[in-house]
Amino acid sequence: NAGVTQTPKFQVLKTGQSMTLQCAQDMNHEYMSWYRQDPGMGLRLIHYSVGAGITDQGEVPNGYNVSRSTTEDFPLRLLSAAPSQTSVYFCASSYISSASWTGELFFGEGSRLTVL
Amino acid sequence: AQSVTQLGSHVSVSEGALVLLRCNYSSSVPPYLFWYVQYPNQGLQLLLKYTSAATLVKGINGFEAEFKKSETSFHLTKPSAHMSDAAEYFCAVTRMDSSYKLIFGSGTRLLVRP
């Protein structure tokens, strides 16, 4: 199984440029999310989705957009890149059972973004 | 607001020594607590999960964690470190409001000396 696949693995942007980080999962997970990882700060939630057509903001949503048109895909768009968005980005997915969300996440391998 | 604190951004142990990585959560008992591990240049993977069924939780690769409500702690231990345990470890909790958000600690990098 591929699990959670992120592309690209590395990207360098200039300030003001836009781009999309792609995320796809083949586990039929309802829940998908995007985190950014910065040294000494752990992982911070950017946006998440509990199903196709449903998205919500996390802790640090400013400067990022998401959409969920299918169960499998959850792209993250940077509208106008800034140096503060230099980070490693992780996509993660999980099941949502009928009873509750357990928080057990499956992560992609990450996308390292540098904004100059 | 809920929070997770990991004491020590770096922990160094000798191969064969006890591993102890500390995690404390804010006063309200969260529904679920986790330890995730991140090997170099990889994504995170689940090491173990506490779901209130038992206070001592066993995970993969010989790791275990004990939930102590009186100390608001969920420390991760392994009796004997192996070189392959070198990685970054993250403690995480689900939020009390049942929202779909996981709160991560800042991480502890484990170094294993030969």
Side-chain angles (χ1 to χ4, degrees):
Chain A
N1 282 341
V4 179
T5 303
Q6 292 182 233
T7 57
K9 292 193 182 328
F10 301 94
Q11 183 71 49
V12 179
L13 291 178
K14 295 181 179 178
T15 296
Q17 287 185 315
S18 62
M19 77 156 299
T20 299
L21 298 177
Q22 301 290 346
C23 176
Q25 53 91 9
D26 61 359
M27 297 173 283
N28 203 31
H29 286 167
E30 300 90 343
Y31 179 90
M32 297 186 74
S33 57
W34 278 101
Y35 286 85
R36 59 177 290 173
Q37 182 180 27
D38 302 291
M41 303 186 74
L43 278 78
R44 292 180 293 169
L45 181 64
I46 304 172
H47 286 287
Y48 67 97
S49 168
V50 298
I54 306 170
T55 63
D56 207 345
Q57 295 182 349
E59 304 169 71
V60 289
N62 292 341
Y64 307 95
N65 271 359
V66 292
S67 60
R68 184 96 178 269
S69 56
T70 67
T71 299
E72 295 78 19
D73 301 299
F74 191 47
L76 178 72
R77 283 182 288 276
L78 281 72
L79 307 174
S80 178
S84 60
Q85 294 179 304
T86 293
S87 187
V88 181
Y89 291 84
F90 287 97
C91 180
S93 69
S94 75
Y95 293 107
I96 299 177
S97 73
S98 56
S100 64
W101 181 62
T102 65
E104 184 174 338
L105 297 176
F106 294 79
F107 283 84
E109 294 194 344
S111 298
R112 185 175 295 274
L113 175 67
T114 301
V115 182
L116 303 175
Chain B
Q2 265 185 300
S3 64
V4 177
T5 302
Q6 291 185 240
L7 294 176
S9 59
H10 292 80
V11 170
S12 180
V13 301
S14 297
E15 190 173 20
L18 171 72
V19 175
L20 171 61
L21 304 182
R22 300 178 186 273
C23 172
N24 288 87
Y25 59 90
S26 55
S27 58
S28 300
V29 178
Y32 300 102
L33 297 96
F34 307 83
W35 278 97
Y36 283 86
V37 59
Q38 184 181 30
Y39 298 104
N41 300 314
Q42 294 186 25
L44 282 72
Q45 57 183 275
L46 182 67
L47 200 55
L48 52 81
K49 177 175 74 176
Y50 168 75
T51 61
S52 77
T55 57
L56 183 63
V57 183
K58 294 188 183 299
I60 61 173
N61 301 335
F63 283 93
E64 61 183 36
E66 186 172 8
F67 172 73
K68 292 187 176 180
K69 184 177 179 180
S70 61
E71 299 177 7
T72 64
S73 69
F74 189 56
H75 301 331
L76 182 71
T77 60
K78 181 174 181 177
S80 176
H82 192 273
M83 297 297 290
S84 61
D85 295 326
E88 189 154 21
Y89 293 80
F90 293 92
C91 184
V93 302
T94 49
R95 282 174 52 142
M96 290 296 296
D97 60 5
S98 300
S99 65
Y100 298 100
K101 298 177 182 178
L102 206 58
I103 302 169
F104 283 88
S106 56
T108 298
R109 186 168 298 279
L110 176 65
L111 308 172
V112 182
R113 304 186 302 272

